[in-house]
Tab-separated table of all heavy atoms in Angstrom:
chain	number	residue	atom	x	y	z
M	11	MET	N	-39.805	152.187	-13.973
M	11	MET	CA	-40.692	151.105	-13.618
M	11	MET	C	-40.732	150.921	-12.153
M	11	MET	O	-39.711	151.194	-11.441
M	11	MET	CB	-40.140	149.919	-14.342
M	11	MET	CG	-41.224	149.047	-15.126
M	11	MET	SD	-41.096	147.414	-15.090
M	11	MET	CE	-39.627	147.008	-15.800
M	12	ALA	N	-41.846	150.581	-11.588
M	12	ALA	CA	-42.019	150.370	-10.200
M	12	ALA	C	-41.285	149.164	-9.712
M	12	ALA	O	-41.430	148.092	-10.392
M	12	ALA	CB	-43.521	150.253	-9.803
M	13	LEU	N	-40.546	149.229	-8.650
M	13	LEU	CA	-39.722	148.055	-8.122
M	13	LEU	C	-40.126	147.972	-6.742
M	13	LEU	O	-40.239	148.974	-6.050
M	13	LEU	CB	-38.357	148.273	-8.312
M	13	LEU	CG	-37.632	147.901	-9.686
M	13	LEU	CD1	-36.240	148.265	-9.705
M	13	LEU	CD2	-37.866	146.342	-9.919
M	14	PRO	N	-40.265	146.796	-6.154
M	14	PRO	CA	-40.518	146.500	-4.688
M	14	PRO	C	-39.251	146.852	-3.950
M	14	PRO	O	-38.076	146.659	-4.385
M	14	PRO	CB	-40.867	145.082	-4.680
M	14	PRO	CG	-40.239	144.455	-5.910
M	14	PRO	CD	-40.263	145.424	-7.004
M	15	LYS	N	-39.550	147.794	-2.895
M	15	LYS	CA	-38.379	148.170	-2.120
M	15	LYS	C	-37.845	147.115	-1.347
M	15	LYS	O	-36.555	146.969	-1.208
M	15	LYS	CB	-39.005	149.409	-1.156
M	15	LYS	CG	-37.813	150.307	-0.745
M	15	LYS	CD	-38.385	151.465	-0.013
M	15	LYS	CE	-38.366	152.564	-1.062
M	15	LYS	NZ	-39.017	153.915	-0.428
M	16	THR	N	-38.631	146.290	-0.762
M	16	THR	CA	-37.973	145.035	0.029
M	16	THR	C	-38.490	143.733	-0.685
M	16	THR	O	-39.592	143.743	-1.074
M	16	THR	CB	-38.465	145.136	1.449
M	16	THR	OG1	-39.775	145.437	1.509
M	16	THR	CG2	-37.658	146.244	2.129
M	17	ARG	N	-37.789	142.779	-0.434
M	17	ARG	CA	-38.140	141.519	-0.929
M	17	ARG	C	-39.175	140.925	-0.112
M	17	ARG	O	-39.177	140.899	1.238
M	17	ARG	CB	-36.910	140.522	-1.010
M	17	ARG	CG	-37.166	139.143	-1.433
M	17	ARG	CD	-35.832	138.297	-0.979
M	17	ARG	NE	-36.280	136.934	-0.987
M	17	ARG	CZ	-36.007	136.101	-1.987
M	17	ARG	NH1	-35.339	136.415	-3.119
M	17	ARG	NH2	-36.352	134.846	-1.906
M	18	ILE	N	-40.207	140.373	-0.636
M	18	ILE	CA	-41.295	139.676	0.207
M	18	ILE	C	-40.967	138.241	0.378
M	18	ILE	O	-40.502	137.447	-0.560
M	18	ILE	CB	-42.650	139.741	-0.658
M	18	ILE	CG1	-43.114	141.187	-0.576
M	18	ILE	CG2	-43.738	138.857	0.027
M	18	ILE	CD1	-44.318	141.442	-1.435
M	19	SER	N	-40.843	137.884	1.651
M	19	SER	CA	-40.467	136.519	1.985
M	19	SER	C	-41.354	135.509	1.357
M	19	SER	O	-42.344	135.718	1.032
M	19	SER	CB	-40.451	136.238	3.612
M	19	SER	OG	-41.829	136.288	4.016
M	20	ARG	N	-40.821	134.214	1.374
M	20	ARG	CA	-41.516	133.093	0.832
M	20	ARG	C	-42.815	132.908	1.576
M	20	ARG	O	-43.795	132.634	0.847
M	20	ARG	CB	-40.589	131.922	0.962
M	20	ARG	CG	-41.007	130.794	-0.045
M	20	ARG	CD	-40.193	129.526	0.268
M	20	ARG	NE	-38.746	129.717	0.138
M	20	ARG	CZ	-37.913	128.829	0.543
M	20	ARG	NH1	-38.360	127.679	1.229
M	20	ARG	NH2	-36.581	129.029	0.387
M	21	ALA	N	-42.694	132.999	2.810
M	21	ALA	CA	-43.965	132.837	3.647
M	21	ALA	C	-45.028	133.808	3.449
M	21	ALA	O	-46.187	133.626	3.298
M	21	ALA	CB	-43.565	132.742	5.106
M	22	ARG	N	-44.516	135.093	3.273
M	22	ARG	CA	-45.470	136.177	3.168
M	22	ARG	C	-46.285	136.056	1.773
M	22	ARG	O	-47.383	136.443	1.579
M	22	ARG	CB	-44.798	137.574	3.208
M	22	ARG	CG	-45.754	138.564	3.694
M	22	ARG	CD	-44.906	139.934	3.710
M	22	ARG	NE	-45.802	140.947	3.347
M	22	ARG	CZ	-45.397	142.280	3.196
M	22	ARG	NH1	-44.186	142.580	3.522
M	22	ARG	NH2	-46.219	143.135	2.749
M	23	GLY	N	-45.402	135.766	0.715
M	23	GLY	CA	-45.910	135.743	-0.614
M	23	GLY	C	-47.018	134.482	-0.663
M	23	GLY	O	-47.954	134.654	-1.288
M	24	ARG	N	-46.620	133.370	-0.043
M	24	ARG	CA	-47.499	132.300	-0.028
M	24	ARG	C	-48.701	132.563	0.816
M	24	ARG	O	-49.776	132.136	0.488
M	24	ARG	CB	-46.833	131.055	0.549
M	24	ARG	CG	-45.824	130.377	-0.405
M	24	ARG	CD	-45.124	129.393	0.313
M	24	ARG	NE	-44.081	128.772	-0.590
M	24	ARG	CZ	-43.216	127.749	-0.201
M	24	ARG	NH1	-43.187	127.249	0.966
M	24	ARG	NH2	-42.323	127.373	-1.167
M	25	LYS	N	-48.666	133.352	1.879
M	25	LYS	CA	-49.846	133.731	2.622
M	25	LYS	C	-50.783	134.575	1.857
M	25	LYS	O	-51.947	134.453	1.992
M	25	LYS	CB	-49.305	134.386	3.911
M	25	LYS	CG	-49.838	134.011	5.165
M	25	LYS	CD	-49.389	134.813	6.480
M	25	LYS	CE	-48.384	133.907	7.123
M	25	LYS	NZ	-47.707	134.561	8.214
M	26	ARG	N	-50.207	135.412	1.018
M	26	ARG	CA	-51.117	136.342	0.295
M	26	ARG	C	-51.857	135.533	-0.750
M	26	ARG	O	-53.045	135.690	-1.047
M	26	ARG	CB	-50.203	137.339	-0.377
M	26	ARG	CG	-51.061	138.427	-1.181
M	26	ARG	CD	-50.328	139.170	-2.238
M	26	ARG	NE	-48.913	139.423	-1.932
M	26	ARG	CZ	-47.869	139.163	-2.539
M	26	ARG	NH1	-48.038	138.340	-3.735
M	26	ARG	NH2	-46.778	139.485	-2.256
M	27	ARG	N	-51.280	134.458	-1.295
M	27	ARG	CA	-51.789	133.653	-2.303
M	27	ARG	C	-52.828	132.756	-1.797
M	27	ARG	O	-53.743	132.189	-2.527
M	27	ARG	CB	-50.818	132.905	-3.096
M	27	ARG	CG	-50.345	133.584	-4.391
M	27	ARG	CD	-49.054	133.011	-4.912
M	27	ARG	NE	-47.914	134.033	-4.868
M	27	ARG	CZ	-46.680	133.698	-4.575
M	27	ARG	NH1	-46.342	132.456	-4.183
M	27	ARG	NH2	-45.738	134.624	-4.607
M	28	THR	N	-52.962	132.435	-0.548
M	28	THR	CA	-53.833	131.556	0.042
M	28	THR	C	-55.346	131.866	-0.132
M	28	THR	O	-56.248	131.173	-0.306
M	28	THR	CB	-53.515	131.295	1.581
M	28	THR	OG1	-53.676	132.489	2.329
M	28	THR	CG2	-52.209	130.437	1.681
M	29	HIS	N	-55.527	133.234	0.086
M	29	HIS	CA	-56.912	133.746	-0.029
M	29	HIS	C	-57.425	134.120	-1.342
M	29	HIS	O	-58.462	134.605	-1.698
M	29	HIS	CB	-57.299	134.836	1.044
M	29	HIS	CG	-56.380	135.882	1.048
M	29	HIS	ND1	-56.234	136.894	0.120
M	29	HIS	CD2	-55.220	136.228	1.895
M	29	HIS	CE1	-55.174	137.703	0.450
M	29	HIS	NE2	-54.663	137.181	1.543
M	30	TYR	N	-56.488	133.987	-2.367
M	30	TYR	CA	-56.898	134.409	-3.689
M	30	TYR	C	-57.794	133.567	-4.434
M	30	TYR	O	-58.815	133.980	-4.998
M	30	TYR	CB	-55.559	134.535	-4.626
M	30	TYR	CG	-55.889	134.683	-6.002
M	30	TYR	CD1	-56.282	135.855	-6.551
M	30	TYR	CD2	-55.635	133.569	-7.039
M	30	TYR	CE1	-56.597	136.031	-7.990
M	30	TYR	CE2	-55.883	133.740	-8.276
M	30	TYR	CZ	-56.449	134.998	-8.875
M	30	TYR	OH	-56.695	135.002	-10.158
M	31	LYS	N	-57.573	132.203	-4.375
M	31	LYS	CA	-58.345	131.277	-5.111
M	31	LYS	C	-59.804	131.036	-4.462
M	31	LYS	O	-60.776	131.001	-5.094
M	31	LYS	CB	-57.725	129.884	-5.207
M	31	LYS	CG	-57.726	129.455	-6.629
M	31	LYS	CD	-57.040	128.030	-6.742
M	31	LYS	CE	-56.887	127.737	-8.203
M	31	LYS	NZ	-56.169	126.477	-8.389
M	32	ALA	N	-59.807	131.139	-3.075
M	32	ALA	CA	-61.070	130.951	-2.353
M	32	ALA	C	-61.970	131.992	-2.595
M	32	ALA	O	-63.116	131.763	-2.646
M	32	ALA	CB	-60.725	130.908	-0.930
M	33	ALA	N	-61.580	133.236	-2.894
M	33	ALA	CA	-62.334	134.322	-3.149
M	33	ALA	C	-62.995	134.475	-4.428
M	33	ALA	O	-64.014	134.971	-4.734
M	33	ALA	CB	-61.632	135.685	-2.754
M	34	ASN	N	-62.322	133.651	-5.346
M	34	ASN	CA	-62.763	133.802	-6.859
M	34	ASN	C	-63.638	132.739	-7.227
M	34	ASN	O	-64.049	132.723	-8.378
M	34	ASN	CB	-61.449	133.627	-7.700
M	34	ASN	CG	-60.959	135.043	-8.064
M	34	ASN	OD1	-61.782	136.057	-7.946
M	34	ASN	ND2	-59.723	135.170	-8.230
M	35	VAL	N	-63.960	131.793	-6.262
M	35	VAL	CA	-64.953	130.704	-6.637
M	35	VAL	C	-66.373	131.394	-6.625
M	35	VAL	O	-66.908	131.852	-5.664
M	35	VAL	CB	-64.848	129.499	-5.668
M	35	VAL	CG1	-65.922	128.498	-6.057
M	35	VAL	CG2	-63.590	128.907	-5.636
M	36	SER	N	-66.938	131.285	-7.831
M	36	SER	CA	-68.219	131.799	-7.874
M	36	SER	C	-69.115	131.099	-8.864
M	36	SER	O	-68.636	130.531	-9.860
M	36	SER	CB	-68.176	133.378	-8.467
M	36	SER	OG	-67.780	133.335	-9.679
M	37	TYR	N	-70.399	130.872	-8.613
M	37	TYR	CA	-71.311	130.165	-9.433
M	37	TYR	C	-72.513	131.050	-9.677
M	37	TYR	O	-72.830	131.754	-8.937
M	37	TYR	CB	-71.740	128.859	-8.698
M	37	TYR	CG	-70.677	127.875	-8.525
M	37	TYR	CD1	-70.032	127.786	-7.196
M	37	TYR	CD2	-70.287	127.035	-9.529
M	37	TYR	CE1	-68.985	126.785	-6.999
M	37	TYR	CE2	-69.184	126.135	-9.351
M	37	TYR	CZ	-68.728	126.044	-8.051
M	37	TYR	OH	-67.641	125.139	-7.865
M	38	GLY	N	-73.013	130.737	-10.832
M	38	GLY	CA	-74.223	131.444	-11.272
M	38	GLY	C	-75.417	130.622	-11.097
M	38	GLY	O	-75.237	129.447	-10.992
M	39	SER	N	-76.505	131.121	-11.171
M	39	SER	CA	-77.692	130.189	-11.208
M	39	SER	C	-78.591	130.449	-12.470
M	39	SER	O	-78.602	131.574	-12.931
M	39	SER	CB	-78.601	130.481	-9.975
M	39	SER	OG	-79.017	131.954	-9.924
M	40	CYS	N	-79.121	129.318	-12.971
M	40	CYS	CA	-79.763	129.363	-14.257
M	40	CYS	C	-81.083	130.085	-14.102
M	40	CYS	O	-81.849	129.904	-13.304
M	40	CYS	CB	-80.127	127.957	-14.679
M	40	CYS	SG	-81.005	127.917	-16.224
M	41	PRO	N	-81.276	131.156	-14.909
M	41	PRO	CA	-82.471	131.870	-14.909
M	41	PRO	C	-83.574	131.048	-15.523
M	41	PRO	O	-84.959	131.390	-15.090
M	41	PRO	CB	-82.423	133.107	-15.778
M	41	PRO	CG	-81.241	132.706	-16.768
M	41	PRO	CD	-80.427	131.688	-16.012
M	42	GLN	N	-83.413	130.022	-16.089
M	42	GLN	CA	-84.452	129.206	-16.648
M	42	GLN	C	-85.085	128.193	-15.583
M	42	GLN	O	-86.199	128.034	-15.475
M	42	GLN	CB	-83.846	128.396	-17.843
M	42	GLN	CG	-84.903	127.677	-18.693
M	42	GLN	CD	-85.718	128.830	-19.447
M	42	GLN	OE1	-85.364	129.928	-19.751
M	42	GLN	NE2	-87.021	128.439	-19.938
M	43	CYS	N	-84.003	127.491	-14.995
M	43	CYS	CA	-84.483	126.447	-14.030
M	43	CYS	C	-84.049	126.830	-12.708
M	43	CYS	O	-84.547	126.038	-11.633
M	43	CYS	CB	-84.026	125.052	-14.423
M	43	CYS	SG	-82.432	124.898	-14.536
M	44	GLY	N	-83.143	127.692	-12.437
M	44	GLY	CA	-82.711	128.072	-11.079
M	44	GLY	C	-81.594	127.237	-10.506
M	44	GLY	O	-81.144	127.432	-9.454
M	45	GLN	N	-81.160	126.320	-11.307
M	45	GLN	CA	-80.077	125.503	-10.791
M	45	GLN	C	-78.708	126.167	-10.845
M	45	GLN	O	-78.552	127.069	-11.737
M	45	GLN	CB	-80.028	124.190	-11.553
M	45	GLN	CG	-80.895	123.090	-11.092
M	45	GLN	CD	-80.231	121.742	-11.159
M	45	GLN	OE1	-79.115	121.550	-11.753
M	45	GLN	NE2	-80.763	120.836	-10.387
M	46	THR	N	-77.808	125.756	-9.974
M	46	THR	CA	-76.494	126.325	-9.941
M	46	THR	C	-75.806	125.947	-11.250
M	46	THR	O	-75.713	124.660	-11.567
M	46	THR	CB	-75.621	126.135	-8.788
M	46	THR	OG1	-75.771	124.701	-8.526
M	46	THR	CG2	-76.147	126.832	-7.592
M	47	LYS	N	-75.081	126.782	-12.029
M	47	LYS	CA	-74.303	126.367	-13.095
M	47	LYS	C	-73.174	127.242	-13.203
M	47	LYS	O	-72.919	128.373	-12.557
M	47	LYS	CB	-75.243	126.592	-14.426
M	47	LYS	CG	-75.614	128.015	-14.647
M	47	LYS	CD	-76.137	128.182	-16.118
M	47	LYS	CE	-76.155	129.731	-16.588
M	47	LYS	NZ	-74.813	130.207	-16.719
M	48	MET	N	-72.091	126.767	-14.033
M	48	MET	CA	-70.945	127.607	-14.255
M	48	MET	C	-71.229	128.891	-14.960
M	48	MET	O	-72.069	128.829	-15.998
M	48	MET	CB	-69.946	126.766	-15.074
M	48	MET	CG	-69.420	125.512	-14.328
M	48	MET	SD	-68.167	125.727	-13.218
M	48	MET	CE	-66.855	125.731	-14.285
M	49	PRO	N	-70.702	129.989	-14.621
M	49	PRO	CA	-70.831	131.215	-15.350
M	49	PRO	C	-70.233	131.104	-16.762
M	49	PRO	O	-69.272	130.563	-17.000
M	49	PRO	CB	-70.180	132.288	-14.534
M	49	PRO	CG	-69.160	131.563	-13.697
M	49	PRO	CD	-69.874	130.242	-13.438
M	50	HIS	N	-70.895	131.660	-17.741
M	50	HIS	CA	-70.606	131.673	-19.142
M	50	HIS	C	-70.649	130.245	-19.810
M	50	HIS	O	-69.938	130.053	-20.765
M	50	HIS	CB	-69.220	132.371	-19.306
M	50	HIS	CG	-69.156	133.726	-18.773
M	50	HIS	ND1	-68.345	134.061	-17.761
M	50	HIS	CD2	-69.702	134.840	-19.071
M	50	HIS	CE1	-68.451	135.263	-17.443
M	50	HIS	NE2	-69.263	135.686	-18.210
M	51	ARG	N	-71.403	129.334	-19.137
M	51	ARG	CA	-71.602	128.081	-19.711
M	51	ARG	C	-73.124	127.737	-19.780
M	51	ARG	O	-73.820	128.288	-19.042
M	51	ARG	CB	-71.058	126.963	-18.843
M	51	ARG	CG	-69.457	127.184	-18.502
M	51	ARG	CD	-68.719	126.634	-19.739
M	51	ARG	NE	-67.353	126.662	-19.386
M	51	ARG	CZ	-66.496	127.797	-19.315
M	51	ARG	NH1	-66.938	128.858	-19.450
M	51	ARG	NH2	-65.189	127.557	-18.986
M	52	ALA	N	-73.458	126.943	-20.704
M	52	ALA	CA	-74.804	126.537	-20.878
M	52	ALA	C	-75.159	125.743	-19.713
M	52	ALA	O	-74.405	125.033	-19.235
M	52	ALA	CB	-74.995	125.851	-22.168
M	53	CYS	N	-76.420	125.854	-19.229
M	53	CYS	CA	-76.943	125.134	-18.063
M	53	CYS	C	-76.885	123.649	-18.306
M	53	CYS	O	-77.505	123.110	-19.317
M	53	CYS	CB	-78.347	125.646	-17.745
M	53	CYS	SG	-79.078	124.656	-16.363
M	54	PRO	N	-76.404	122.925	-17.490
M	54	PRO	CA	-76.263	121.408	-17.601
M	54	PRO	C	-77.636	120.734	-17.510
M	54	PRO	O	-77.747	119.545	-18.041
M	54	PRO	CB	-75.295	120.835	-16.801
M	54	PRO	CG	-75.243	121.969	-15.709
M	54	PRO	CD	-75.534	123.261	-16.212
M	55	ASN	N	-78.501	121.474	-16.754
M	55	ASN	CA	-79.839	120.808	-16.386
M	55	ASN	C	-80.685	120.952	-17.617
M	55	ASN	O	-81.338	119.960	-18.001
M	55	ASN	CB	-80.266	121.479	-15.237
M	55	ASN	CG	-81.561	120.704	-14.618
M	55	ASN	OD1	-81.571	119.563	-14.552
M	55	ASN	ND2	-82.587	121.540	-14.487
M	56	CYS	N	-80.986	122.233	-18.101
M	56	CYS	CA	-82.040	122.405	-19.147
M	56	CYS	C	-81.374	122.883	-20.420
M	56	CYS	O	-82.030	122.864	-21.488
M	56	CYS	CB	-82.942	123.649	-18.622
M	56	CYS	SG	-82.101	125.237	-18.417
M	57	GLY	N	-79.976	123.069	-20.467
M	57	GLY	CA	-79.309	123.269	-21.735
M	57	GLY	C	-79.496	124.694	-22.280
M	57	GLY	O	-79.378	125.013	-23.494
M	58	TYR	N	-79.995	125.604	-21.408
M	58	TYR	CA	-80.289	126.969	-21.903
M	58	TYR	C	-79.176	127.866	-21.684
M	58	TYR	O	-78.452	127.821	-20.693
M	58	TYR	CB	-81.562	127.605	-21.039
M	58	TYR	CG	-82.876	127.354	-21.835
M	58	TYR	CD1	-83.281	126.132	-22.182
M	58	TYR	CD2	-83.569	128.530	-22.242
M	58	TYR	CE1	-84.604	126.068	-22.752
M	58	TYR	CE2	-84.777	128.384	-22.873
M	58	TYR	CZ	-85.335	127.126	-23.267
M	58	TYR	OH	-86.368	126.883	-24.001
M	59	TYR	N	-78.918	128.740	-22.459
M	59	TYR	CA	-77.936	129.992	-22.307
M	59	TYR	C	-78.419	131.188	-22.964
M	59	TYR	O	-78.935	131.103	-24.187
M	59	TYR	CB	-76.554	129.472	-22.886
M	59	TYR	CG	-75.431	130.438	-22.551
M	59	TYR	CD1	-74.999	130.743	-21.195
M	59	TYR	CD2	-74.800	131.205	-23.558
M	59	TYR	CE1	-74.061	131.509	-20.845
M	59	TYR	CE2	-73.804	132.071	-23.157
M	59	TYR	CZ	-73.474	132.341	-21.928
M	59	TYR	OH	-72.558	133.182	-21.578
M	60	ARG	N	-78.328	132.223	-22.186
M	60	ARG	CA	-78.885	133.614	-22.767
M	60	ARG	C	-80.345	133.607	-23.185
M	60	ARG	O	-80.693	134.102	-24.226
M	60	ARG	CB	-78.039	134.024	-23.862
M	60	ARG	CG	-76.609	134.544	-23.303
M	60	ARG	CD	-75.690	135.051	-24.407
M	60	ARG	NE	-75.212	136.417	-24.315
M	60	ARG	CZ	-74.619	137.093	-25.236
M	60	ARG	NH1	-74.676	136.509	-26.473
M	60	ARG	NH2	-74.070	138.266	-24.991
M	61	GLY	N	-81.035	132.766	-22.438
M	61	GLY	CA	-82.587	132.689	-22.723
M	61	GLY	C	-83.071	131.838	-23.858
M	61	GLY	O	-84.151	131.909	-24.251
M	62	ARG	N	-82.172	131.078	-24.433
M	62	ARG	CA	-82.524	130.226	-25.490
M	62	ARG	C	-81.795	128.965	-25.422
M	62	ARG	O	-80.689	128.773	-24.916
M	62	ARG	CB	-82.329	130.976	-26.900
M	62	ARG	CG	-80.927	131.073	-27.211
M	62	ARG	CD	-80.699	131.928	-28.332
M	62	ARG	NE	-79.355	132.191	-28.706
M	62	ARG	CZ	-78.637	131.240	-29.436
M	62	ARG	NH1	-79.224	130.295	-29.988
M	62	ARG	NH2	-77.424	131.473	-29.828
M	63	PRO	N	-82.452	127.737	-25.908
M	63	PRO	CA	-81.790	126.388	-25.792
M	63	PRO	C	-80.583	126.361	-26.627
M	63	PRO	O	-80.700	126.738	-27.984
M	63	PRO	CB	-82.968	125.599	-26.209
M	63	PRO	CG	-83.812	126.286	-27.106
M	63	PRO	CD	-83.637	127.795	-26.549
M	64	VAL	N	-79.429	126.010	-26.073
M	64	VAL	CA	-78.141	125.851	-26.854
M	64	VAL	C	-77.927	124.374	-27.074
M	64	VAL	O	-77.584	123.923	-28.194
M	64	VAL	CB	-77.080	126.513	-26.081
M	64	VAL	CG1	-75.889	126.367	-26.873
M	64	VAL	CG2	-77.313	127.839	-25.766
M	65	ILE	N	-78.056	123.660	-26.099
M	65	ILE	CA	-77.966	122.176	-26.175
M	65	ILE	C	-79.393	121.571	-26.500
M	65	ILE	O	-80.311	122.020	-25.896
M	65	ILE	CB	-77.278	121.465	-25.038
M	65	ILE	CG1	-76.051	122.262	-24.510
M	65	ILE	CG2	-77.070	120.008	-25.196
M	65	ILE	CD1	-75.755	121.949	-23.085
M	66	SER	N	-79.336	120.641	-27.462
M	66	SER	CA	-80.755	120.115	-27.753
M	66	SER	C	-81.295	119.413	-26.547
M	66	SER	O	-80.634	118.634	-25.967
M	66	SER	CB	-80.629	119.075	-28.978
M	66	SER	OG	-79.591	118.273	-28.636
M	67	ALA	N	-82.387	119.816	-26.188
M	67	ALA	CA	-83.044	119.272	-24.834
M	67	ALA	C	-83.081	117.780	-24.738
M	67	ALA	O	-83.528	117.066	-25.662
M	67	ALA	CB	-84.412	119.929	-24.717
M	68	THR	N	-82.637	117.237	-23.607
M	68	THR	CA	-82.695	115.934	-23.286
M	68	THR	C	-84.031	115.508	-22.749
M	68	THR	O	-84.451	115.888	-21.707
M	68	THR	CB	-81.552	115.635	-22.202
M	68	THR	OG1	-81.676	116.446	-21.280
M	68	THR	CG2	-80.263	115.712	-22.931
M	69	GLU	N	-84.735	114.771	-23.538
M	69	GLU	CA	-86.090	114.456	-23.198
M	69	GLU	C	-86.268	113.008	-22.738
M	69	GLU	O	-85.516	112.554	-21.997
M	69	GLU	CB	-87.032	114.465	-24.420
M	69	GLU	CG	-87.347	115.977	-24.765
M	69	GLU	CD	-87.440	116.038	-26.357
M	69	GLU	OE1	-88.245	115.379	-26.980
M	69	GLU	OE2	-86.715	116.953	-26.893
N	24	ZN	ZN1	-81.213	125.528	-16.528
C-alpha cells in the first residue's frame, strides 16, 4: 500500500483544501429558457428537465 513518505503539515493540508471547493462550483444553463440552474436538477424557472416538463408548469 502506498504511504506518504513525509507528514503533511496542518498548514499545507489546509492550503491544499482551500482551492478544492472553489473549483467545483459549477452551474448549468437551461436549454429551454437559458436560465442558470443546478446541474441534474429540473429548471426552477420553466420546470423542464431533459427536454420535457417534469414539474407541472406554473401558469
Ligand atoms: Zn428553464
